Amino acid sequence: MDTLITLSPVELERLLITIESSQQVHRRHQYFLWSQGALQSFLPHDVLVFGHGEYGTPNFRCEVLARNNTWEDRALHAELNRLVQMMVENWQSSGHIPRFFGPASDEGGAGGSVIGQALDRLGLGHALAHGAKEFPGDCSGFFVFMRMADAPGRRHAYFAEMLMPYLHTTLHRMLQLEKEMPSRRLRPGLTLSTREAQVISLVRDGNTNQQIAKVLELSPLTVKNHVQNVLRKLEVANRAQAVAKAVKARLIGDTVGS
């Protein structure tokens, strides 16, 4: 018989905060902050991939929420898409229950060596995957928590099942708002400081924080703070989105070195 999952008073309070705060998520940057904040108490991860659209069709799309823009690389993103598709198939064939995946070097990881090898190759470590099976077509939602510090276990599966309704409804609330307002303008009068514009221009040119720090003679921490300020001002979740929005709003030029 399975051991009953119990929560401490502190965990119960955190769970309530996580559920309540999900109701305040409407935009992509808010989803990112929620996943990197309240949700970390129960499903700690560094990279979150969410899929939506009809399972097993070209309409099924994967998107990444992470602290950096590594996954904007098309080749990497294509490989990540293939990995998630394999996880979806594994999840479906296993009865739609949370699935654990580990690097190929770990014994006992679900999904076989193909998934494990892909996790190794992409440097994604341990992962937990779960979705909303009762919503067909475009209303589906699949979530993969990747680069978890430790191998996920029964408690992680329990929290994935408990929080799935909130992950799913919050995702589709965000997607629906994006569909209704695909080109929402910046707040009137919003500008970047000279230094922020310099930093995000160098990000556009493909520079890392360390490279930007060297060019501008700043510390990497100062550069990181400038990037975070830009993300917050532009209400975006990652560097690539910040560059796109800054270019569209003509806060910076649209070509390298401009």
Side-chain angles (χ1 to χ4, degrees):
M1 181 180 295
D2 290 340
T3 304
L4 179 68
I5 299 291
T6 59
L7 304 182
S8 69
V10 171
E11 287 177 320
L12 286 170
E13 182 178 4
R14 287 177 178 170
L15 182 61
L16 180 60
I17 291 171
T18 302
I19 292 172
E20 288 184 337
S21 59
S22 74
Q23 307 309 305
Q24 307 305 315
V25 175
H26 302 278
R27 302 292 305 283
R28 189 166 296 243
H29 75 282
Q30 294 172 333
Y31 203 107
F32 173 73
L33 293 174
W34 179 63
S35 69
Q36 289 295 314
L39 202 59
Q40 292 285 337
S41 297
F42 304 100
L43 295 167
H45 64 282
D46 188 52
V47 176
L48 171 60
V49 178
F50 59 84
H52 55 93
E54 187 173 356
Y55 295 133
T57 73
N59 293 327
F60 183 75
R61 293 186 55 201
C62 294
E63 301 187 52
V64 182
L65 289 180
R67 294 189 180 94
N68 57 54
N69 65 341
T70 301
W71 301 105
E72 298 301 325
D73 179 278
R74 290 185 179 181
L76 282 176
H77 204 285
E79 187 166 3
L80 185 64
N81 282 341
R82 290 191 292 271
L83 172 60
V84 174
Q85 290 284 4
M86 287 190 289
M87 290 180 171
V88 169
E89 292 170 5
N90 182 282
W91 171 74
Q92 290 176 317
S93 65
S94 300
H96 305 93
I97 61 175
R99 302 297 290 159
F100 307 147
F101 302 97
S105 54
D106 280 17
E107 295 183 2
S113 61
V114 175
I115 289 178
Q117 288 169 6
L119 288 170
D120 272 335
R121 189 165 54 252
L122 295 171
L124 291 171
H126 297 283
L128 182 151
H130 192 34
K133 72 178 189 310
E134 63 271 28
F135 294 93
D138 290 342
C139 293
S140 66
F142 192 76
F143 304 85
V144 186
F145 300 90
M146 296 180 168
R147 207 176 281 153
M148 302 180 78
D150 301 302
R154 287 185 59 254
R155 286 180 70 84
H156 295 102
Y158 172 79
F159 290 129
E161 290 189 306
M162 176 179 287
L163 292 169
M164 182 52 57
Y166 305 99
L167 285 160
H168 183 259
T169 56
T170 301
L171 169 66
H172 282 278
R173 182 194 309 133
M174 177 193 79
L175 294 174
Q176 184 60 36
L177 285 174
E178 288 182 348
K179 187 182 299 183
E180 294 171 355
M181 299 182 295
S183 58
R184 184 177 182 269
R185 295 181 179 179
L186 296 175
R187 297 191 304 274
L190 178 63
T191 60
L192 300 180
S193 70
T194 300
R195 185 63 85 188
E196 289 168 348
Q198 289 175 329
V199 168
I200 204 64
S201 293
L202 288 167
V203 170
R204 174 208 58 205
D205 297 349
N207 293 282
T208 65
N209 284 1
Q210 288 73 18
Q211 291 170 327
I212 295 171
K214 186 175 181 180
V215 170
L216 299 180
E217 298 182 347
L218 301 171
S219 72
L221 179 59
T222 299
V223 172
K224 179 180 178 181
N225 289 335
H226 282 308
V227 172
Q228 292 300 318
N229 287 338
V230 173
L231 297 185
R232 186 162 50 251
K233 281 186 176 183
L234 300 184
E235 299 183 345
V236 294
N238 59 48
R239 294 154 61 102
Q241 292 173 8
V243 168
K245 199 165 187 178
V247 168
K248 186 174 183 179
R250 298 186 178 179
L251 298 175
I252 61 173
D254 60 355
T255 58
V256 174
S258 61

